[in-house]
């Protein structure tokens, strides 16, 4: 189902970054200017069902043209379809750009460290590419962790930055396969390490780190470690992209656990503005009930981080595990994230 804020764009190019990650170029009427670091919600038809997920832009957008990078994740319905099946020429729904993790809204910085792992590199690459096109960019250094050179998204761009001294690459797979750290290959750029990144290596790679603003994006465990390290090293301006949806997962383990906590009792979801009532098992995720009733809700990340599933509980009780994108005023007014809310009693909900 098309949403009021979505646009129908054609995929004009599909380029493999690695064997399981692609960059799509989408063109058509899209009257927006994304801020580097932002994401969009894509809607694709899979087996007759329109599915929505959020994906980060990987480069500055032009009028009516944007690029997103999508990595296939295990059991990822949309990412698997996009990587394995989607063809150039296909039409996709594309939302307006979203997200506060961007280098425009966040105050200007003169010295920046971009710190990423895996497909968390995508929004940070958008920032780096943006800075390469403007006057008086910040002085930035990019540290990226990938399993190895072959599985590194944006390998050419990152290697080029590394050769210019603007990036350091950490190939983590060597740590799992080798008991000792490997020296860089002869033909590798000089700023290449093998093994897992550590706090000590971070300081070696970026000795003035304490004076830099730091943007971090990657798997949750990486972000937790990286945030601890940069804090220990004296950084005070640290920004994280908690949006694991586009980067690493389409369904969090936390949600899977909660889904299994449903009871035999039945409760009712009422959505008066659509004249809909839906019975569901008590403890069900609110998003599942709304989708079962075929209501026009978008759940892009299903992880409580993108905000696309926001709705208002007018009455009744839900438990919630994430209010990440909601303001205090919205929470006080009864807004919840449907993907992160589980139904305790009969509820009346409004959408939009
Ligand atoms: S789907 Fe992203 S917050 Fe619910």
């Amino acid at each position: 189902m098309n949403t009021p804020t979505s646009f129908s764009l054609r995929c004009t190019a599909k380029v493999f970054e690695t064997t399981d990650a692609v960059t799509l170029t989408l063109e058509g009427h899209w009257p927006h200017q994304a801020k580097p670091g932002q994401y969009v919600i894509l809607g694709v038809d899979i087996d007759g069902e329109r599915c929505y997920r959020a994906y980060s832009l990987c480069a500055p957008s032009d009028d009516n043209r944007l690029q997103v990078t999508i990595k296939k994740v295990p059991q990822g319905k949309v990412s698997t379809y996009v990587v394995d099946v989607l063809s150039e020429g296909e039409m996709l729904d594309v939302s307006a750009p979203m997200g506060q993790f961007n280098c425009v809204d966040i105050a200007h910085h003169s010295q920046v460290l971009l710190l990423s792992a895996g497909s968390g590199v995508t929004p940070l690459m958008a920032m780096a590419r943006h800075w390469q096109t403007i006057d008086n960019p910040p002085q930035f250094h990019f540290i990226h962790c990938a399993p190895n050179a072959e599985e590194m998204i944006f390998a050419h761009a990152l290697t080029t930055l590394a050769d210019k001294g603007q990036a350091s690459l950490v190939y983590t797979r060597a740590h799992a396969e080798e008991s000792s750290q490997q020296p860089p290959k002869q033909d590798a750029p000089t700023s290449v390490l093998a093994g897992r990144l550590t706090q000590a290596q971070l300081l070696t790679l970026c000795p003035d780190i304490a004076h830099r603003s730091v943007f971090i994006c990657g798997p949750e465990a990486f972000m937790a470690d990286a945030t601890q390290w940069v804090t220990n090293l004296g950084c005070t301006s640290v920004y994280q992209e908690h949006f694991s949806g586009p980067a690493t997962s389409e369904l969090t383990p936390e949600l899977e656990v909660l889904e299994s906590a449903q009871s035999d009792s039945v409760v009712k979801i009422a959505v008066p503005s659509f004249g809909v009532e839906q019975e569901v098992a008590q403890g069900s995720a609110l998003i599942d009930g709304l989708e079962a009733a075929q209501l026009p809700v978008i759940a892009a990340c299903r992880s409580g981080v993108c905000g696309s599933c926001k709705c208002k509980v007018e009455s009744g009780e839900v438990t919630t595990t994430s209010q990440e994108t909601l303001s205090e005023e919205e929470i006080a007014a009864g807004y919840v994230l449907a993907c992160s809310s589980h139904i305790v009693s009969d509820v009346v909900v409004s959408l939009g």
Side-chain angles (χ1 to χ4, degrees), residues 243 298-310 325 337-340:
F243 201 152
I298 296 177
C301 71
R302 305 187 89 90
S303 305
V305 287
C306 77
S308 67
C309 65
K310 182 175 77 174
T325 66
L337 299 175
C339 71
S340 304

Side-chain angles (χ1 to χ4, degrees), residues 76 106 114 130 135 145 148 167 184 220 288 310 320 323 330:
I106 296 174
L114 302 174
H130 166 69
D135 294 330
C145 303
N148 51 47
E220 289 293 330
D288 291 342
K310 182 175 77 174
T320 187
Q323 299 175 315
E330 288 175 323

Side-chain angles (χ1 to χ4, degrees), residues 309-323:
C309 65
K310 182 175 77 174
C311 59
K312 187 176 180 184
V313 176
E314 303 285 357
S315 66
E317 187 182 351
V318 300
T319 59
T320 187
T321 56
S322 172
Q323 299 175 315

Side-chain angles (χ1 to χ4, degrees), residues 11-185:
C11 173
T12 57
K14 175 180 174 180
V15 175
F16 278 83
E17 301 284 352
T18 64
T19 56
D20 63 356
V22 296
T23 292
L24 303 181
T25 301
L26 305 172
E27 296 184 81
H29 178 61
W30 194 68
H32 295 287
Q33 195 73 46
K35 298 167 184 172
Q38 288 192 305
Y39 61 88
V40 291
I41 294 171
L42 297 187
V44 296
D45 285 325
I46 304 174
D47 298 331
E49 181 190 356
R50 177 120 296 204
C51 303
Y52 295 92
R53 295 291 185 276
Y55 294 108
S56 294
L57 278 73
C58 62
S61 63
D62 302 330
D63 283 349
N64 301 325
R65 180 180 181 278
L66 67 145
Q67 291 181 301
V68 293
T69 298
I70 299 169
K71 178 178 166 55
K72 186 161 69 173
V73 297
Q75 279 96 48
K77 184 174 182 180
V78 175
S79 62
T80 298
Y81 173 83
V82 168
V83 173
D84 291 349
V85 180
L86 182 126
S87 311
E88 293 177 359
E90 211 163 305
M91 303 298 291
L92 291 83
D93 282 350
V94 184
S95 75
M98 304 178 191
Q100 296 171 337
F101 182 81
N102 66 75
C103 62
V104 174
D105 288 338
I106 296 174
H108 184 70
H109 314 272
S110 58
Q111 285 188 294
V112 174
L113 172 64
L114 302 174
L115 184 53
S116 62
S119 52
V121 67
T122 302
L124 304 190
M125 179 55 74
M127 295 181 191
R129 285 172 167 161
H130 166 69
W131 288 327
Q132 289 175 304
T133 67
I134 64 170
D135 294 330
N136 302 316
Q139 194 272 324
F140 73 90
H141 192 79
F142 207 141
I143 298 178
H144 176 60
C145 303
N148 51 47
E150 292 71 36
E151 296 175 74
M152 185 167 66
I153 297 172
F154 311 131
H156 178 72
L158 286 166
T159 304
T160 301
L161 286 173
D163 287 341
K164 292 193 289 189
Q166 288 182 286
S168 303
L169 308 177
V170 182
Y171 295 153
T172 57
R173 185 64 56 79
H175 182 74
E177 294 172 353
E178 310 283 345
S179 57
S180 62
Q181 292 195 351
Q182 302 246 316
K185 292 179 186 170

